Each structure stands twice: as structure tokens, then as C-alpha cells.
Amino acid sequence: MTRVLMVCLGNICRSPLAEGILKSKVNSNKVTVESAGTAGYHIGKSPDPRSIATAAKYNIDITDQRARQFTVDDFDKFDHIFAMDKENYKNITALARNTSDREKVSLMLDILNTPRNKEVPDPYYGGDQGFEHVYQLLDKATDLVVEKVIPQLD
Ligand code: 4NP
């Protein structure tokens, strides 16, 4: 089993989309995908309606997700932890207990062959267009997660 955690700030906009998109591309018997937020503002809440609508447009249902906060235990529960932006990356790695924890964390868009350090922009205060842009970025990035990170052989 490969275990992947998607992390953003609130766990209601970007990481729920990342979770839903990656789940739609993998065999759930072989890959576990979850998401979390570095902040606790929205614990227990459903994804933002704009994330739900954007996922639904591509036949992905994320309505069952509930926001939770990233905790240090997640370093034990997951093999790969993808941060949506640099601030999330900084906040996650600040909780790392050792090198092994730290090495599990990467910036989501670093998997793309574009310049490094690019971020999945926070769409919370913007319009619906921001969510479509986030979706497109995550669709590309998760293709590469499937290709590069998840073992292809049984
Ligand atoms: P997310 O977006 O990190 O992609 O879930 C945000 C959601 C909520 C807030 C900020 C970003 N907020 O400030 O409440």
C-alpha cells in the first residue's frame, strides 16, 4: 500500500480537490489518499462548494470529505506528503521529527517539469476561475504522481 497525503491551509479548497483527483486515478486497494490542512479553522467542514462544483464538473465526488488538521502522526501514516504552497511546506516540515519525516514532504508542483518552487495558488478569496485553474494544475501533477511516485508493479 502506498499512502499519499495532500496538504493545504484550510483543507477545504485545494487539498480536497487533490485528494479527489488522485483517488480517481488509482486503485484504492493499492493506494490510500487523504488530505489535511495546516490550519484548524475549518475542522469537520465539507469542502468549499466551489471545489465540490469543480470536481463534479469532471465527475469526481468529493462531498464525503471532511476537513482535518495535519498532525505529527501523519508522518507515520503516510509515505508521501504533498504541500500545495511554500507556506504549507514550511509549516509541515517545521513539525518533522527527523530527516525521514522531512524527506516525505515535497511541494506538489515540483513534480512537474516546470521551474521549481511553483505553488498551487490559494483560490479561497478569488472567483470560480481560480478553482478551475487549481483543478488543471492538480490534474497534471497527479498524472505525474501516478507515473513517478506510485509503484506500477504488483
Ligand atoms: P485551502 O484554501 O487552503 O485551499 O483550503 C483556504 C481555505 C480557507 C482559508 C484560506 C485558504 N481561510 O483563511 O479560512
Side-chain angles (χ1 to χ4, degrees):
M1 186 65 91
T2 305
R3 304 160 305 167
V4 177
L5 184 67
M6 301 298 197
V7 183
C8 62
L9 175 63
N11 193 209
I12 56 167
C13 297
R14 292 166 290 179
S15 61
L17 270 176
E19 174 185 335
I21 297 168
L22 183 57
K23 271 185 179 156
S24 77
K25 297 179 182 184
V26 298
N27 178 342
S28 61
N29 293 320
K30 294 181 184 167
V31 185
T32 300
V33 188
E34 287 185 25
S35 62
T38 55
Y41 322 131
H42 299 283
I43 292 171
K45 287 198 197 153
S46 298
D48 186 286
R50 296 165 294 178
S51 282
I52 291 176
T54 305
K57 190 174 145 190
Y58 297 96
N59 293 314
I60 295 173
D61 182 358
I62 61 168
T63 55
D64 285 346
Q65 293 187 35
R66 295 296 177 266
R68 73 164 176 90
Q69 190 167 14
F70 181 86
T71 73
V72 74
D73 293 344
D74 287 317
F75 288 115
D76 299 321
K77 293 184 188 150
F78 294 92
D79 306 302
H80 302 282
I81 298 168
F82 291 106
M84 298 297 128
D85 65 33
K86 290 177 215 170
E87 189 68 20
N88 308 150
Y89 179 88
K90 202 174 81 185
N91 289 328
I92 299 163
T93 51
L95 296 174
R97 299 156 299 187
N98 50 45
T99 310
S100 159
D101 285 355
R102 224 167 354 257
E103 283 174 354
K104 292 182 176 187
V105 190
S106 60
L107 202 52
M108 177 83 268
L109 297 186
D110 275 357
I111 201 160
L112 300 174
N113 281 329
T114 47
R116 294 178 74 80
N117 288 321
K118 283 193 136 190
E119 303 183 297
V120 180
D122 181 350
Y124 189 61
Y125 293 106
D128 292 343
Q129 232 183 327
F131 285 76
E132 179 63 28
H133 179 55
V134 165
Y135 185 96
Q136 295 303 331
L137 289 171
L138 291 172
D139 190 34
K140 289 197 191 82
T142 52
D143 274 349
L144 284 152
V145 172
V146 172
E147 200 180 303
K148 293 186 179 177
V149 173
I150 293 170
Q152 299 298 306
L153 301 174
D154 286 334

PDB file of all heavy atoms in Angstrom, residues 22-53:
ATOM      1  N   LEU A  22      -6.608  12.552  -7.384  1.00  0.00           N
ATOM      2  CA  LEU A  22      -5.685  11.403  -7.330  1.00  0.00           C
ATOM      3  C   LEU A  22      -6.440  10.097  -7.084  1.00  0.00           C
ATOM      4  O   LEU A  22      -6.156   9.083  -7.735  1.00  0.00           O
ATOM      5  CB  LEU A  22      -4.602  11.615  -6.255  1.00  0.00           C
ATOM      6  CG  LEU A  22      -3.553  10.491  -6.182  1.00  0.00           C
ATOM      7  CD1 LEU A  22      -2.843  10.280  -7.520  1.00  0.00           C
ATOM      8  CD2 LEU A  22      -2.543  10.741  -5.079  1.00  0.00           C
ATOM      9  N   LYS A  23      -7.436  10.132  -6.193  1.00  0.00           N
ATOM     10  CA  LYS A  23      -8.228   8.917  -5.940  1.00  0.00           C
ATOM     11  C   LYS A  23      -8.867   8.388  -7.225  1.00  0.00           C
ATOM     12  O   LYS A  23      -8.998   7.177  -7.409  1.00  0.00           O
ATOM     13  CB  LYS A  23      -9.342   9.214  -4.930  1.00  0.00           C
ATOM     14  CG  LYS A  23      -8.940   9.010  -3.494  1.00  0.00           C
ATOM     15  CD  LYS A  23     -10.144   9.205  -2.597  1.00  0.00           C
ATOM     16  CE  LYS A  23      -9.807   8.977  -1.141  1.00  0.00           C
ATOM     17  NZ  LYS A  23     -10.736   9.676  -0.245  1.00  0.00           N
ATOM     18  N   SER A  24      -9.283   9.305  -8.098  1.00  0.00           N
ATOM     19  CA  SER A  24      -9.951   8.889  -9.336  1.00  0.00           C
ATOM     20  C   SER A  24      -8.987   8.198 -10.302  1.00  0.00           C
ATOM     21  O   SER A  24      -9.411   7.588 -11.274  1.00  0.00           O
ATOM     22  CB  SER A  24     -10.601  10.100 -10.023  1.00  0.00           C
ATOM     23  OG  SER A  24      -9.621  10.894 -10.684  1.00  0.00           O
ATOM     24  N   LYS A  25      -7.677   8.285 -10.031  1.00  0.00           N
ATOM     25  CA  LYS A  25      -6.681   7.742 -10.962  1.00  0.00           C
ATOM     26  C   LYS A  25      -5.978   6.491 -10.449  1.00  0.00           C
ATOM     27  O   LYS A  25      -5.120   5.951 -11.136  1.00  0.00           O
ATOM     28  CB  LYS A  25      -5.606   8.814 -11.239  1.00  0.00           C
ATOM     29  CG  LYS A  25      -6.154  10.055 -11.913  1.00  0.00           C
ATOM     30  CD  LYS A  25      -5.086  11.093 -12.155  1.00  0.00           C
ATOM     31  CE  LYS A  25      -5.726  12.336 -12.789  1.00  0.00           C
ATOM     32  NZ  LYS A  25      -4.755  13.356 -13.151  1.00  0.00           N
ATOM     33  N   VAL A  26      -6.278   6.089  -9.216  1.00  0.00           N
ATOM     34  CA  VAL A  26      -5.542   4.956  -8.631  1.00  0.00           C
ATOM     35  C   VAL A  26      -6.484   3.864  -8.144  1.00  0.00           C
ATOM     36  O   VAL A  26      -7.682   4.090  -7.953  1.00  0.00           O
ATOM     37  CB  VAL A  26      -4.644   5.423  -7.446  1.00  0.00           C
ATOM     38  CG1 VAL A  26      -3.594   6.413  -7.918  1.00  0.00           C
ATOM     39  CG2 VAL A  26      -5.477   6.004  -6.307  1.00  0.00           C
ATOM     40  N   ASN A  27      -5.900   2.690  -7.938  1.00  0.00           N
ATOM     41  CA  ASN A  27      -6.628   1.565  -7.371  1.00  0.00           C
ATOM     42  C   ASN A  27      -6.619   1.721  -5.847  1.00  0.00           C
ATOM     43  O   ASN A  27      -5.554   1.724  -5.224  1.00  0.00           O
ATOM     44  CB  ASN A  27      -5.895   0.284  -7.795  1.00  0.00           C
ATOM     45  CG  ASN A  27      -6.544  -0.959  -7.230  1.00  0.00           C
ATOM     46  OD1 ASN A  27      -7.322  -0.892  -6.278  1.00  0.00           O
ATOM     47  ND2 ASN A  27      -6.205  -2.096  -7.822  1.00  0.00           N
ATOM     48  N   SER A  28      -7.816   1.835  -5.269  1.00  0.00           N
ATOM     49  CA  SER A  28      -7.891   2.109  -3.823  1.00  0.00           C
ATOM     50  C   SER A  28      -7.394   0.937  -2.980  1.00  0.00           C
ATOM     51  O   SER A  28      -7.148   1.090  -1.787  1.00  0.00           O
ATOM     52  CB  SER A  28      -9.320   2.472  -3.431  1.00  0.00           C
ATOM     53  OG  SER A  28     -10.179   1.397  -3.722  1.00  0.00           O
ATOM     54  N   ASN A  29      -7.241  -0.242  -3.594  1.00  0.00           N
ATOM     55  CA  ASN A  29      -6.663  -1.368  -2.854  1.00  0.00           C
ATOM     56  C   ASN A  29      -5.153  -1.224  -2.708  1.00  0.00           C
ATOM     57  O   ASN A  29      -4.530  -1.898  -1.901  1.00  0.00           O
ATOM     58  CB  ASN A  29      -6.950  -2.697  -3.558  1.00  0.00           C
ATOM     59  CG  ASN A  29      -8.419  -3.014  -3.524  1.00  0.00           C
ATOM     60  OD1 ASN A  29      -9.078  -2.787  -2.508  1.00  0.00           O
ATOM     61  ND2 ASN A  29      -8.947  -3.513  -4.637  1.00  0.00           N
ATOM     62  N   LYS A  30      -4.580  -0.377  -3.539  1.00  0.00           N
ATOM     63  CA  LYS A  30      -3.119  -0.236  -3.532  1.00  0.00           C
ATOM     64  C   LYS A  30      -2.640   1.128  -3.058  1.00  0.00           C
ATOM     65  O   LYS A  30      -1.480   1.276  -2.664  1.00  0.00           O
ATOM     66  CB  LYS A  30      -2.573  -0.471  -4.937  1.00  0.00           C
ATOM     67  CG  LYS A  30      -2.782  -1.896  -5.406  1.00  0.00           C
ATOM     68  CD  LYS A  30      -2.213  -2.096  -6.775  1.00  0.00           C
ATOM     69  CE  LYS A  30      -2.538  -3.508  -7.252  1.00  0.00           C
ATOM     70  NZ  LYS A  30      -2.278  -3.670  -8.671  1.00  0.00           N
ATOM     71  N   VAL A  31      -3.511   2.119  -3.173  1.00  0.00           N
ATOM     72  CA  VAL A  31      -3.093   3.481  -2.818  1.00  0.00           C
ATOM     73  C   VAL A  31      -4.140   4.125  -1.914  1.00  0.00           C
ATOM     74  O   VAL A  31      -5.321   4.158  -2.247  1.00  0.00           O
ATOM     75  CB  VAL A  31      -2.927   4.357  -4.090  1.00  0.00           C
ATOM     76  CG1 VAL A  31      -2.378   5.732  -3.722  1.00  0.00           C
ATOM     77  CG2 VAL A  31      -2.031   3.682  -5.120  1.00  0.00           C
ATOM     78  N   THR A  32      -3.693   4.612  -0.768  1.00  0.00           N
ATOM     79  CA  THR A  32      -4.560   5.375   0.130  1.00  0.00           C
ATOM     80  C   THR A  32      -4.292   6.851  -0.117  1.00  0.00           C
ATOM     81  O   THR A  32      -3.122   7.257  -0.161  1.00  0.00           O
ATOM     82  CB  THR A  32      -4.195   5.091   1.609  1.00  0.00           C
ATOM     83  OG1 THR A  32      -4.367   3.710   1.847  1.00  0.00           O
ATOM     84  CG2 THR A  32      -5.071   5.876   2.562  1.00  0.00           C
ATOM     85  N   VAL A  33      -5.340   7.629  -0.287  1.00  0.00           N
ATOM     86  CA  VAL A  33      -5.164   9.072  -0.475  1.00  0.00           C
ATOM     87  C   VAL A  33      -6.037   9.798   0.548  1.00  0.00           C
ATOM     88  O   VAL A  33      -7.232   9.495   0.674  1.00  0.00           O
ATOM     89  CB  VAL A  33      -5.574   9.540  -1.893  1.00  0.00           C
ATOM     90  CG1 VAL A  33      -5.175  11.001  -2.101  1.00  0.00           C
ATOM     91  CG2 VAL A  33      -4.986   8.651  -2.977  1.00  0.00           C
ATOM     92  N   GLU A  34      -5.427  10.722   1.275  1.00  0.00           N
ATOM     93  CA  GLU A  34      -6.182  11.558   2.205  1.00  0.00           C
ATOM     94  C   GLU A  34      -5.718  13.001   2.038  1.00  0.00           C
ATOM     95  O   GLU A  34      -4.778  13.271   1.289  1.00  0.00           O
ATOM     96  CB  GLU A  34      -5.946  11.117   3.657  1.00  0.00           C
ATOM     97  CG  GLU A  34      -6.638   9.813   4.015  1.00  0.00           C
ATOM     98  CD  GLU A  34      -6.500   9.460   5.485  1.00  0.00           C
ATOM     99  OE1 GLU A  34      -6.305  10.382   6.313  1.00  0.00           O
ATOM    100  OE2 GLU A  34      -6.575   8.272   5.806  1.00  0.00           O
ATOM    101  N   SER A  35      -6.378  13.923   2.746  1.00  0.00           N
ATOM    102  CA  SER A  35      -5.921  15.306   2.727  1.00  0.00           C
ATOM    103  C   SER A  35      -6.078  15.910   4.115  1.00  0.00           C
ATOM    104  O   SER A  35      -6.809  15.382   4.958  1.00  0.00           O
ATOM    105  CB  SER A  35      -6.686  16.126   1.682  1.00  0.00           C
ATOM    106  OG  SER A  35      -8.067  16.165   1.992  1.00  0.00           O
ATOM    107  N   ALA A  36      -5.361  17.011   4.339  1.00  0.00           N
ATOM    108  CA  ALA A  36      -5.389  17.693   5.636  1.00  0.00           C
ATOM    109  C   ALA A  36      -5.009  19.147   5.414  1.00  0.00           C
ATOM    110  O   ALA A  36      -4.494  19.516   4.352  1.00  0.00           O
ATOM    111  CB  ALA A  36      -4.408  17.028   6.605  1.00  0.00           C
ATOM    112  N   GLY A  37      -5.247  19.966   6.440  1.00  0.00           N
ATOM    113  CA  GLY A  37      -4.863  21.373   6.385  1.00  0.00           C
ATOM    114  C   GLY A  37      -3.853  21.680   7.482  1.00  0.00           C
ATOM    115  O   GLY A  37      -3.893  21.052   8.544  1.00  0.00           O
ATOM    116  N   THR A  38      -2.976  22.639   7.234  1.00  0.00           N
ATOM    117  CA  THR A  38      -2.023  23.002   8.286  1.00  0.00           C
ATOM    118  C   THR A  38      -2.732  23.820   9.370  1.00  0.00           C
ATOM    119  O   THR A  38      -2.297  23.841  10.509  1.00  0.00           O
ATOM    120  CB  THR A  38      -0.837  23.815   7.721  1.00  0.00           C
ATOM    121  OG1 THR A  38      -1.338  24.948   7.032  1.00  0.00           O
ATOM    122  CG2 THR A  38      -0.001  22.970   6.771  1.00  0.00           C
ATOM    123  N   ALA A  39      -3.828  24.483   9.013  1.00  0.00           N
ATOM    124  CA  ALA A  39      -4.588  25.275   9.984  1.00  0.00           C
ATOM    125  C   ALA A  39      -5.825  24.509  10.451  1.00  0.00           C
ATOM    126  O   ALA A  39      -6.268  23.576   9.776  1.00  0.00           O
ATOM    127  CB  ALA A  39      -5.016  26.597   9.346  1.00  0.00           C
ATOM    128  N   GLY A  40      -6.364  24.943  11.578  1.00  0.00           N
ATOM    129  CA  GLY A  40      -7.521  24.240  12.133  1.00  0.00           C
ATOM    130  C   GLY A  40      -8.834  24.985  11.970  1.00  0.00           C
ATOM    131  O   GLY A  40      -9.831  24.597  12.558  1.00  0.00           O
ATOM    132  N   TYR A  41      -8.846  26.028  11.115  1.00  0.00           N
ATOM    133  CA  TYR A  41     -10.050  26.867  11.027  1.00  0.00           C
ATOM    134  C   TYR A  41     -11.314  26.118  10.620  1.00  0.00           C
ATOM    135  O   TYR A  41     -12.413  26.517  10.946  1.00  0.00           O
ATOM    136  CB  TYR A  41      -9.935  27.987   9.968  1.00  0.00           C
ATOM    137  CG  TYR A  41      -8.633  28.689   9.785  1.00  0.00           C
ATOM    138  CD1 TYR A  41      -8.094  28.844   8.501  1.00  0.00           C
ATOM    139  CD2 TYR A  41      -7.962  29.248  10.858  1.00  0.00           C
ATOM    140  CE1 TYR A  41      -6.910  29.530   8.294  1.00  0.00           C
ATOM    141  CE2 TYR A  41      -6.779  29.922  10.652  1.00  0.00           C
ATOM    142  CZ  TYR A  41      -6.255  30.061   9.373  1.00  0.00           C
ATOM    143  OH  TYR A  41      -5.092  30.730   9.169  1.00  0.00           O
ATOM    144  N   HIS A  42     -11.156  25.097   9.797  1.00  0.00           N
ATOM    145  CA  HIS A  42     -12.342  24.515   9.156  1.00  0.00           C
ATOM    146  C   HIS A  42     -12.558  23.038   9.513  1.00  0.00           C
ATOM    147  O   HIS A  42     -13.242  22.322   8.789  1.00  0.00           O
ATOM    148  CB  HIS A  42     -12.231  24.659   7.636  1.00  0.00           C
ATOM    149  CG  HIS A  42     -12.167  26.086   7.193  1.00  0.00           C
ATOM    150  ND1 HIS A  42     -13.274  26.898   7.150  1.00  0.00           N
ATOM    151  CD2 HIS A  42     -11.128  26.863   6.822  1.00  0.00           C
ATOM    152  CE1 HIS A  42     -12.922  28.109   6.749  1.00  0.00           C
ATOM    153  NE2 HIS A  42     -11.623  28.119   6.548  1.00  0.00           N
ATOM    154  N   ILE A  43     -11.992  22.610  10.637  1.00  0.00           N
ATOM    155  CA  ILE A  43     -12.073  21.198  11.033  1.00  0.00           C
ATOM    156  C   ILE A  43     -13.528  20.710  11.001  1.00  0.00           C
ATOM    157  O   ILE A  43     -14.420  21.374  11.531  1.00  0.00           O
ATOM    158  CB  ILE A  43     -11.456  20.988  12.438  1.00  0.00           C
ATOM    159  CG1 ILE A  43      -9.941  21.230  12.389  1.00  0.00           C
ATOM    160  CG2 ILE A  43     -11.756  19.592  12.975  1.00  0.00           C
ATOM    161  CD1 ILE A  43      -9.260  21.255  13.755  1.00  0.00           C
ATOM    162  N   GLY A  44     -13.756  19.558  10.372  1.00  0.00           N
ATOM    163  CA  GLY A  44     -15.086  18.943  10.320  1.00  0.00           C
ATOM    164  C   GLY A  44     -15.968  19.441   9.205  1.00  0.00           C
ATOM    165  O   GLY A  44     -17.043  18.895   8.972  1.00  0.00           O
ATOM    166  N   LYS A  45     -15.500  20.476   8.490  1.00  0.00           N
ATOM    167  CA  LYS A  45     -16.348  21.034   7.423  1.00  0.00           C
ATOM    168  C   LYS A  45     -16.201  20.273   6.112  1.00  0.00           C
ATOM    169  O   LYS A  45     -15.157  19.691   5.814  1.00  0.00           O
ATOM    170  CB  LYS A  45     -15.983  22.499   7.173  1.00  0.00           C
ATOM    171  CG  LYS A  45     -16.452  23.425   8.257  1.00  0.00           C
ATOM    172  CD  LYS A  45     -16.463  24.864   7.747  1.00  0.00           C
ATOM    173  CE  LYS A  45     -16.511  25.837   8.915  1.00  0.00           C
ATOM    174  NZ  LYS A  45     -15.905  27.125   8.563  1.00  0.00           N
ATOM    175  N   SER A  46     -17.253  20.354   5.288  1.00  0.00           N
ATOM    176  CA  SER A  46     -17.225  19.823   3.924  1.00  0.00           C
ATOM    177  C   SER A  46     -16.329  20.715   3.082  1.00  0.00           C
ATOM    178  O   SER A  46     -16.097  21.870   3.436  1.00  0.00           O
ATOM    179  CB  SER A  46     -18.617  19.864   3.314  1.00  0.00           C
ATOM    180  OG  SER A  46     -19.490  19.066   4.054  1.00  0.00           O
ATOM    181  N   PRO A  47     -15.876  20.201   1.938  1.00  0.00           N
ATOM    182  CA  PRO A  47     -15.113  21.072   1.038  1.00  0.00           C
ATOM    183  C   PRO A  47     -15.932  22.298   0.628  1.00  0.00           C
ATOM    184  O   PRO A  47     -17.168  22.272   0.647  1.00  0.00           O
ATOM    185  CB  PRO A  47     -14.842  20.165  -0.172  1.00  0.00           C
ATOM    186  CG  PRO A  47     -14.916  18.773   0.364  1.00  0.00           C
ATOM    187  CD  PRO A  47     -15.960  18.814   1.440  1.00  0.00           C
ATOM    188  N   ASP A  48     -15.217  23.347   0.247  1.00  0.00           N
ATOM    189  CA  ASP A  48     -15.844  24.570  -0.256  1.00  0.00           C
ATOM    190  C   ASP A  48     -16.760  24.201  -1.440  1.00  0.00           C
ATOM    191  O   ASP A  48     -16.388  23.375  -2.282  1.00  0.00           O
ATOM    192  CB  ASP A  48     -14.714  25.509  -0.724  1.00  0.00           C
ATOM    193  CG  ASP A  48     -15.222  26.879  -1.132  1.00  0.00           C
ATOM    194  OD1 ASP A  48     -15.840  26.995  -2.212  1.00  0.00           O
ATOM    195  OD2 ASP A  48     -14.971  27.831  -0.373  1.00  0.00           O
ATOM    196  N   PRO A  49     -17.962  24.803  -1.506  1.00  0.00           N
ATOM    197  CA  PRO A  49     -18.897  24.476  -2.605  1.00  0.00           C
ATOM    198  C   PRO A  49     -18.274  24.659  -3.994  1.00  0.00           C
ATOM    199  O   PRO A  49     -18.634  23.953  -4.934  1.00  0.00           O
ATOM    200  CB  PRO A  49     -20.040  25.469  -2.410  1.00  0.00           C
ATOM    201  CG  PRO A  49     -19.937  25.938  -1.011  1.00  0.00           C
ATOM    202  CD  PRO A  49     -18.519  25.781  -0.564  1.00  0.00           C
ATOM    203  N   ARG A  50     -17.321  25.594  -4.097  1.00  0.00           N
ATOM    204  CA  ARG A  50     -16.678  25.807  -5.408  1.00  0.00           C
ATOM    205  C   ARG A  50     -15.745  24.652  -5.757  1.00  0.00           C
ATOM    206  O   ARG A  50     -15.612  24.283  -6.923  1.00  0.00           O
ATOM    207  CB  ARG A  50     -15.926  27.145  -5.394  1.00  0.00           C
ATOM    208  CG  ARG A  50     -16.859  28.345  -5.227  1.00  0.00           C
ATOM    209  CD  ARG A  50     -16.101  29.599  -4.865  1.00  0.00           C
ATOM    210  NE  ARG A  50     -15.471  29.491  -3.540  1.00  0.00           N
ATOM    211  CZ  ARG A  50     -14.713  30.435  -2.991  1.00  0.00           C
ATOM    212  NH1 ARG A  50     -14.473  31.556  -3.635  1.00  0.00           N
ATOM    213  NH2 ARG A  50     -14.194  30.258  -1.786  1.00  0.00           N
ATOM    214  N   SER A  51     -15.115  24.042  -4.760  1.00  0.00           N
ATOM    215  CA  SER A  51     -14.295  22.844  -5.020  1.00  0.00           C
ATOM    216  C   SER A  51     -15.196  21.668  -5.379  1.00  0.00           C
ATOM    217  O   SER A  51     -14.894  20.892  -6.288  1.00  0.00           O
ATOM    218  CB  SER A  51     -13.450  22.470  -3.790  1.00  0.00           C
ATOM    219  OG  SER A  51     -12.335  23.311  -3.694  1.00  0.00           O
ATOM    220  N   ILE A  52     -16.310  21.552  -4.644  1.00  0.00           N
ATOM    221  CA  ILE A  52     -17.267  20.464  -4.928  1.00  0.00           C
ATOM    222  C   ILE A  52     -17.768  20.581  -6.370  1.00  0.00           C
ATOM    223  O   ILE A  52     -17.800  19.589  -7.109  1.00  0.00           O
ATOM    224  CB  ILE A  52     -18.440  20.493  -3.922  1.00  0.00           C
ATOM    225  CG1 ILE A  52     -17.941  20.097  -2.528  1.00  0.00           C
ATOM    226  CG2 ILE A  52     -19.577  19.578  -4.382  1.00  0.00           C
ATOM    227  CD1 ILE A  52     -18.989  20.170  -1.423  1.00  0.00           C
ATOM    228  N   ALA A  53     -18.131  21.814  -6.782  1.00  0.00           N
ATOM    229  CA  ALA A  53     -18.687  22.024  -8.130  1.00  0.00           C
ATOM    230  C   ALA A  53     -17.631  21.757  -9.208  1.00  0.00           C
ATOM    231  O   ALA A  53     -17.935  21.160 -10.251  1.00  0.00           O
ATOM    232  CB  ALA A  53     -19.217  23.450  -8.255  1.00  0.00           C
TER     233      ALA A  53
END
